[in-house]
Amino acid sequence: MRRIVQHDRHRVVEAEWSESGASHESVAGDTHPSERNVVAVSLPIGQTVPDQLRLETDLTLDAELLHGMIVGMTVTFASPTDAKQRLARAGYLASDAVATTVFLAATLGKPLLVEGPAGVGKTALAQAVAEATRSDHEGAELIRLQCYEGVDEARALYEWNHAKQLLRITAGREESWDEARTDIFSEEFLLPRPLLQAIRRDDPTVLLIDEVDKADVEIEGLLLEVLGDFQVTVPELGTVTATQRPFVVLTSNATRELSEALRRRCLFLHVDFPDAELEADIVRLKVANLDKTLADSVVRVVNALRAMPLRKSPSVAETIDWARTLLALGADILDDDVVQETLGVILKHRDDVEKATAKLDLNTVLGGGSDDQASGA
């Protein structure tokens, strides 16, 4: 049996839960929960306490911090280990740090800001969370807002179907303007965009706000309302509040600094290039029938290239593409000829290709030597 205390300005309400989930309410006076050896959360009476709150000992925790564990989160993981395993089944091999952060974002109901170089799997993480959720809920869906310079409220939130509104006004010429206005600013004429679509859904939803750093600074003001309260105000219709909070992933390549206000609303995760062992596992997972030795060789060469001062280092996606290229060519080993002929798969700038051609010592890299020779020193 565990006690949960809900408090407001006037009273403290105790609720006790048995293992069956039954609850009983009693008024406990004006004592603040911080003075009691209990868990303090904002929890409607009658709602079953989640497993995360069935603790071995009573703790005093912040209600706002635990809000996402209780209200409206349908994308959930039982533990960091469960998150790691389910992401792996969805085709995403996560490190312990990534799995733990995903678990916390789902448990606390906080948006997840994922920052790192291009091509390290930030977008793929959101896709994997959606796929992992879809295995438990058939109605789960990934909704994506692709950011770019100039994206505005009409593309991110909603807009009105002006063509349809004009047709409606033309068809109702006998009506007064007040009658027509009430009709044309109704649900029938609304075109919801990704942010509004995600908030209105009742099924589990993963909202991916991709490359948010490419959007103008002004769009962050819109995101603050959405990510802060998970609600959107449509002046003609009122405020739309999420009944089920979406799992929100924002990705950034750090091409510009995001505002502190936006960062405060999110959990932060920096994703860098994986270590060689994990990247080799990723390559073998994504490229069927690839020999382990060849996969290890591919990863070692890619890491040597990343150590060079290139304009653009090879991404994990390009490592996978290179492995598929070698498999398609029937290459069993990496030699100088194969590498030179296929460098265009992983390097996308002429000066990078020239630099790699001049400085990459394949024998040293594949012979287990230091990658220092690839640094351009």
Side-chain angles (χ1 to χ4, degrees):
M1 177 103 42
R2 286 291 179 264
R3 274 190 308 170
I4 305 297
V5 173
Q6 180 183 8
H7 66 94
D8 54 33
R9 295 174 58 187
H10 305 293
R11 64 175 188 167
V12 174
V13 179
E14 290 187 3
E16 294 188 350
W17 273 262
S18 65
E19 292 303 317
S20 64
S23 64
H24 307 280
E25 177 181 348
S26 63
V27 178
D30 295 326
T31 305
H32 192 277
S34 62
E35 301 173 7
R36 295 167 171 262
N37 189 27
V38 296
V39 177
V41 296
S42 176
L43 183 65
I45 296 300
Q47 183 168 345
T48 304
V49 64
D51 291 338
Q52 292 93 333
L53 294 183
R54 294 196 177 100
L55 309 176
E56 292 299 324
T57 58
D58 289 332
L59 301 173
T60 300
L61 300 177
D62 184 78
E64 182 178 356
L65 181 67
L66 292 174
H67 179 74
M69 294 168 54
I70 301 164
V71 181
M73 282 301 295
T74 53
V75 178
T76 58
F77 299 96
S79 66
T81 300
D82 177 54
K84 187 172 185 177
Q85 292 172 346
R86 289 170 61 185
L87 289 174
R89 289 196 294 270
Y92 189 96
L93 300 183
S95 65
D96 291 340
V98 171
T100 299
T101 309
V102 168
F103 163 73
L104 291 174
T107 302
L108 302 178
K110 303 281 283 186
L112 176 58
L113 172 59
V114 187
E115 198 169 73
V120 294
K122 302 185 296 295
T123 300
L125 176 59
Q127 295 168 337
V129 171
E131 183 61 32
T133 305
R134 197 174 291 120
S135 63
D136 296 329
H137 304 273
E138 292 184 1
E141 183 178 339
L142 172 70
I143 295 179
R144 179 173 180 171
L145 170 61
Q146 180 62 51
C147 296
Y148 52 88
E149 186 177 355
V151 66
D152 57 8
E153 182 175 311
R155 292 287 177 249
L157 188 54
Y158 74 92
E159 63 180 328
W160 294 103
N161 190 333
H162 299 301
K164 191 173 182 179
Q165 286 176 324
L166 288 174
L167 288 174
R168 170 64 182 84
I169 293 172
T170 302
R173 290 178 177 175
E174 302 298 326
E175 295 179 325
S176 66
W177 166 240
D178 288 337
E179 293 173 329
R181 180 178 58 185
T182 302
D183 192 17
I184 64 175
F185 289 109
S186 63
E187 182 73 27
E188 180 183 354
F189 298 88
L190 185 69
L191 297 176
R193 299 308 184 193
L195 296 181
L196 184 56
Q197 290 173 2
I199 285 181
R200 298 173 72 185
R201 278 179 53 83
D202 293 326
D203 291 321
T205 304
V206 176
L207 172 60
L208 170 59
I209 305 175
D210 210 10
E211 298 183 313
V212 66
D213 54 319
K214 291 186 177 180
D216 298 326
V217 176
E218 290 75 17
I219 202 68
E220 292 188 24
L222 175 63
L223 293 178
L224 292 179
E225 179 185 11
V226 175
L227 302 182
D229 301 321
F230 286 92
Q231 66 181 27
V232 168
T233 300
V234 181
E236 296 84 358
L237 298 179
T239 299
V240 180
T241 303
T243 57
Q244 301 291 342
R245 284 194 174 193
F247 184 100
V248 182
V249 178
L250 301 92
T251 71
S252 169
N253 296 332
T255 58
R256 72 168 176 86
E257 192 66 28
L258 301 178
S259 70
E260 291 301 321
L262 182 61
R263 288 179 178 273
R264 279 199 309 271
R265 284 161 173 77
C266 304
L267 297 185
F268 177 77
L269 174 65
H270 180 80
V271 177
D272 211 335
F273 295 113
D275 59 49
E277 182 179 358
L278 179 57
E279 188 166 14
D281 289 340
I282 293 171
V283 170
R284 290 198 298 272
L285 175 67
K286 297 295 185 180
V287 185
N289 303 319
L290 184 69
D291 179 73
K292 181 180 185 301
T293 301
L294 183 57
D296 291 341
S297 298
V298 166
V299 170
R300 297 183 82 171
V301 172
V302 167
N303 281 325
L305 293 172
R306 288 174 184 157
M308 295 183 182
L310 303 176
R311 289 179 60 185
K312 181 187 179 302
S313 296
S315 68
V316 177
E318 286 162 337
T319 304
I320 295 170
D321 287 342
W322 197 29
R324 288 173 176 157
T325 298
L326 298 174
L327 194 64
L329 293 174
D332 297 324
I333 60 172
L334 280 179
D335 56 33
D336 289 327
D337 291 338
V338 171
V339 171
Q340 297 303 324
E341 292 170 0
T342 59
L343 270 179
V345 178
I346 50 178
L347 300 178
K348 306 303 171 64
H349 296 278
R350 180 180 176 181
D351 51 344
D352 286 349
V353 173
E354 292 174 348
K355 189 175 296 183
T357 301
K359 297 184 178 182
L360 181 65
D361 186 341
L362 200 60
N363 290 331
T364 303
V365 173
L366 297 184
S370 171
D371 288 346
D372 290 344
Q373 46 75 38
S375 64

